[in-house]
Amino acid sequence: MITTDITKAVQSLLNDEIIAVPTETVYGLAGNAYSESAIKKIFKLKNRPLYNPLIVHIKSTSFLPEVAREIPEIAFKLADTFWPGPLTLILKRQAHIPNLITAGQETVAVRVPNHPVISALLSQLDFPLAAPSANPFGSISPTSAAHVFNYFEDELGVILEGGVCERGIESTIIGFEDEQPVLYRHGSIAVEEIEQVVGKVVVNIHNDNKPSSPGMLSRHYAPMTQTYLTTDVLGLLESFGDKKVGLLLFQDKLVTDSDTLQVVLSEVGDLQEAAKKLYAALHYLDESHLDVIIAERFPNEGLGKTVNDRLERATKRK
Ligand code: TXA
Ligand code: MG
């Protein structure tokens, strides 16, 4: 059930139960990172393949050496700049981090989230929280407690209420190869912002479905409704004739004589606002009994790259 009762949440976690928690990016499905039984429950409830590793959430940067070792200086520089916040670092793991979390890899993903509810929770726990996004594997990530409830209903005893997520898109994931920063996932912090702190970032995003790839499966964040991504929304709309089509647009409504459902993500053309509203718009369009959703491609800069990445994955055929 949806609740604001942090004491109950703490109790559930101490009992190796899993709960849903808000973060500034998306809601997470959280369990004790040091409890194999809790972690197994996360994978099972999400129907997530075991080869896809989880992010460990810690209270503050001072806990980083508890989960990671041989931390490069530039990792601390990034942590100092962006934590608490939507940045996940891939670092060498401490030996006691369960294999289930890292999918057997020698690295662990870690971040300090920036939301008062998960911070209050972490401050009452003496273990970190493993938490993937709180959606069934491959579906649209949740940015409100209601989204989480719609997916899992009473399978979750505690869904902590934390309002609508401020960032609305997952954290940016950065790893290090020979101390060189590498981008593994576009996210709420634009690559350009990271580059202002550490210089050139190499992009290494996998787009295949091989289990060896670190996480980014090509079809992901996907609505049930058939979804297309295009720069020519009007042209594609016309090709669908009488079908019931919904449009997901960046800034401007389309002038058309049909009564097509249209969602505009930011009337003032603000990429941050658009990113924040993206998943809620996809949830809404997906529930609107449409035959087709057409999404407009974003400008390929800053957070526009992140939005395009998610839309590309949402529109991949099965
Ligand atoms: O914003 C977020 O990061 C949210 C909130 C809840 O914190 N969490 C999230 O978790 O997006 P999830 O499980 O949906 O995505 C985690 C990503 C996956 O793509 C996974 O493959 C990658 O992190 N990952 C985890 N450990 C990794 C590792 N050791 N090396 C490379 N990628 C890793
Ligand atoms: Mg996810």
Side-chain angles (χ1 to χ4, degrees):
M1 61 179 274
I2 298 177
T3 172
T4 55
D5 189 344
I6 294 209
T7 310
K8 191 173 168 197
V10 169
Q11 207 47 56
S12 301
L13 291 166
L14 291 173
N15 290 336
D16 283 349
E17 295 299 326
I18 58 176
I19 64 165
V21 288
T23 80
E24 78 280 31
T25 58
V26 300
Y27 277 68
L29 213 48
N32 177 352
Y34 297 152
S35 157
E36 297 235 342
S37 110
I39 300 160
K40 278 187 187 149
K41 287 179 192 167
I42 294 176
F43 279 95
K44 186 154 181 256
L45 186 60
K46 253 189 90 91
N47 196 18
R48 179 176 176 120
L50 290 171
Y51 59 72
N52 200 357
L54 304 180
I55 296 173
V56 171
H57 298 71
I58 56 174
K59 272 178 244 204
S60 68
T61 309
S62 58
F63 287 86
L64 192 52
E66 197 187 295
V67 295
R69 64 190 164 84
E70 296 175 40
I71 303 160
E73 207 41 55
I74 46 170
F76 279 115
K77 209 169 164 191
L78 286 170
D80 286 346
T81 310
F82 295 109
W83 282 355
L87 172 72
T88 293
L89 297 177
I90 307 294
L91 297 164
K92 284 194 185 154
R93 67 157 167 174
Q94 289 291 9
H96 64 269
I97 303 294
N99 276 318
L100 268 174
I101 287 192
T102 67
Q105 301 185 72
E106 274 314 300
T107 51
V108 62
V110 51
R111 82 178 189 100
V112 179
N114 185 17
H115 188 291
V117 173
I118 190 167
S119 301
L121 192 59
L122 284 167
S123 73
Q124 294 188 39
L125 301 170
D126 61 2
F127 47 80
L129 290 173
S133 52
N135 51 284
F137 183 67
S139 58
I140 310 164
S141 302
T143 53
S144 71
H147 291 157
V148 181
F149 184 79
N150 288 343
Y151 280 136
F152 298 110
E153 299 190 348
D154 295 322
E155 285 177 277
L156 284 171
V158 173
I159 298 172
L160 278 179
E161 177 59 77
V164 171
C165 301
E166 207 36 57
R167 298 298 196 119
I169 285 195
E170 291 82 353
S171 58
T172 302
I173 304 185
I174 299 282
F176 305 92
E177 289 168 18
D178 299 326
E179 309 237 331
Q180 156 76 47
V182 180
L183 176 81
Y184 290 129
R185 177 173 76 180
H186 284 289
S188 282
I189 299 174
V191 199
E192 292 90 332
E193 278 183 78
I194 309 259
E195 289 187 325
Q196 277 172 15
V197 180
V198 291
K200 188 79 196 134
V201 171
V202 175
V203 178
N204 183 9
I205 294 172
H206 293 259
N207 276 312
D208 57 23
N209 276 311
K210 275 189 230 119
S212 60
S213 77
M216 288 306 281
L217 301 176
S218 51
R219 184 179 162 82
H220 213 131
Y221 314 101
M224 306 297 282
T225 314
Q226 183 116 60
T227 304
Y228 295 85
L229 176 62
T230 181
T231 47
D232 179 18
V233 177
L234 186 59
L236 193 57
L237 175 65
E238 283 169 349
S239 77
F240 283 114
D242 289 342
K243 288 214 162 146
K244 276 180 70 182
V245 181
L247 305 181
L248 181 62
L249 303 163
F250 175 28
Q251 191 171 357
D252 298 310
K253 267 201 161 178
L254 206 68
V255 184
T256 154
D257 43 15
S258 68
D259 57 356
T260 308
L261 180 61
Q262 303 194 29
V263 178
V264 171
L265 290 173
S266 173
E267 282 177 8
V268 294
D270 175 12
L271 288 168
Q272 171 80 59
E273 182 188 12
K276 177 177 177 178
K277 293 180 175 169
L278 175 70
Y279 290 149
L282 283 171
H283 280 283
Y284 167 72
L285 288 167
D286 205 21
E287 287 156 9
S288 298
H289 309 286
L290 300 164
D291 299 317
V292 174
I293 298 169
I294 300 176
E296 178 179 23
R297 188 177 280 281
F298 270 57
N300 203 35
E301 59 183 28
L303 288 180
K305 287 184 194 159
T306 303
V307 173
N308 284 335
D309 172 274
R310 298 304 189 271
L311 288 173
E312 273 161 19
R313 290 170 206 280
T315 53
K316 272 264 152 58
R317 299 285 92 78
K318 274 182 198 155

